[in-house]
Amino acid sequence: MGEAAVEFRGVSKRYGTGYVFEELALTIPRARIVCIIGPSGCGKTTLLKLINRLIEPEAGEILVEGRPIGRQNPVELRRNIGYVIQQIGLFPHMTIEDNITVVPRLKGESRKRLDHRVDELLSLIGLAPDQFRKRYPHELSGGQQQRIGVARALAANPSIILMDEPFSALDPISRVQLQKELIKLNEQVKKTIVFVTHDIDEALKIADRIVLLKDGKLVQDDAPEDLLKRPANAFVREFLGTERFAANFEI
Amino acid sequence: MDQFWNTLQADWPLIIDKTLEHLYLSAVSVLIACLVAIPAGVLLTRFKRLANGVITVVSVIQTIPSLALFGFMIPLVGIGAKPAIIALTLYALLPIVQNTFVGISEVNPALTEAGVGMGMTRWQVLRMVQLPIARSVIMAGVRLVTVQTISMATIATYIAAGGLGDIITRGITMINTITIFEGAVPVSLLVILVNLLLLALNRALTPKGLRGQRKING
């Protein structure tokens, strides 16, 4: 207790006949960026959606902040967990301001009292509030839209934020930019960020901890440098890219 | 020409009267149709397996010739405005049900999932995400139905429901082209005016973020 933001205890989930997860145990530490990574079909998005109950497990228990989520109201639970999805998660018919304040408004806060919060969040992600609050998502670049997505997840001040390949649709330059910003941002806001990606470079760059999955099994759960220093098996080595190890040995 | 003006002058109060009657028949029918068909269309998106069946049944109504449908109403509810409104409403259901169903089904699932994932209830997803995005598709259905209903209400005269059809049939009986015009022109004007009004309304209601920008939602 205390340390873990999210804890999976013996979680099993199956689709049709095959298991996605069988007896999965995993602890996600607080206030860190944790990357969930693996080849496609390894269950990383499923794992993320189990945390906010978009998907229910067949067996086992998931604890968020030490409390089992199975007994919580899913709507309440989700309002207390930030959620950023790949590509266009912004609502096209709402202004930036309305998009950012969705969750606080769902929680019953009045729009007027959120003005200040919008300014604060837009400044935090480096967009001028006066220039952006009244605009619509399609008027923004992909990178800007994804920044708004992050701001929206922060709006209700959750302690945990789930991100599902948020930067995968961006061009390489904005992607690198946003990765840097995310690291800096989390030094300020200190949230637990569970970040799903299929891009190992992205994971190595931003993660405090990397959880590597294969076919629903946890292969390795380590800090990025430990992953490079002590890959658990041949699969990890191959997934990270064998050339990376050659380079390391030369140093 | 003189004859035209004289007839028009004499019939003026009648034309106004019948136009109002016509408008009443059409407006009430479209309104009831909306109240039934929009929720029905929404409901069908929740029970997709029913959708095909229900839409087929509703489209069968459209295959009944309108004159006959008005006739069928007589043994059921008699004559007058009530059976006319029922018949017109039945005709109006399909386009609205269909457009509501299609409009909401076409909302990008990623957006509805984003809504659910952020803690919206199903009702909130519908109200805050699906309906606003689907609204212009639904409105297109309503507009189509309005035009159709105003033209079709002309036939309601055969079951004594009144409306501009009264003037037209009188003109036909008397073989008087001017009288036929006096009934037909207001029908056309009503169609054009109401159509423009609904177009403007839809434009005013559509948030700037969606105007000419369907790409982003799907």
Side-chain angles (χ1 to χ4, degrees), chain B residues 75-104:
Chain B
L76 296 173
V77 262
I79 58 169
K82 202 166 86 182
I85 288 171
I86 295 174
L88 290 172
T89 304
L90 284 174
Y91 262 110
L93 292 176
L94 178 69
I96 306 180
V97 171
Q98 208 164 23
N99 280 35
T100 306
F101 177 74
V102 170
I104 288 183

Side-chain angles (χ1 to χ4, degrees), chain A residues 77-134:
Chain A
L77 174 79
R78 289 175 196 140
R79 287 177 187 175
N80 292 317
I81 297 178
Y83 190 43
V84 184
I85 61 168
Q86 36 190 326
Q87 297 188 41
I88 39 149
L90 299 184
F91 300 121
H93 58 292
M94 294 184 191
T95 58
I96 297 309
E97 171 177 53
D98 287 348
N99 262 293
I100 291 180
T101 55
V102 164
V103 181
R105 281 189 286 134
L106 289 174
K107 290 175 119 175
E109 286 183 57
S110 76
R111 189 185 300 245
K112 278 214 173 121
R113 293 174 55 193
L114 290 164
D115 275 359
H116 181 67
R117 185 86 183 125
V118 173
D119 287 347
E120 199 176 276
L121 286 163
L122 282 172
S123 312
L124 188 69
I125 55 165
L127 298 177
D130 293 340
Q131 207 183 331
F132 284 95
R133 55 188 313 152
K134 293 289 180 201

Side-chain angles (χ1 to χ4, degrees), chain B residues 103-187:
Chain B
I104 288 183
S105 301
E106 274 179 355
V107 173
N108 190 330
L111 289 179
T112 48
E113 202 180 79
V116 175
M118 289 191 306
M120 289 184 189
T121 59
R122 295 191 103 176
W123 168 246
Q124 284 165 334
V125 171
L126 184 68
R127 189 171 53 83
M128 297 174 75
V129 183
Q130 292 174 310
L131 281 178
I133 292 175
R135 205 203 24 247
S136 46
V137 181
I138 300 174
M139 282 293 284
V142 174
R143 227 149 37 78
L144 182 83
V145 153
T146 309
V147 169
Q148 170 197 301
T149 306
I150 294 174
S151 337
M152 203 179 282
T154 324
I155 311 173
T157 180
Y158 285 110
I159 52 170
L164 288 160
D166 285 2
I167 302 180
I168 298 175
T169 42
R170 203 183 63 181
I172 294 172
T173 333
M174 300 189 309
I175 322 183
N176 183 338
T177 318
I178 294 171
T179 313
I180 299 177
F181 263 111
E182 282 177 347
V185 172
V187 172

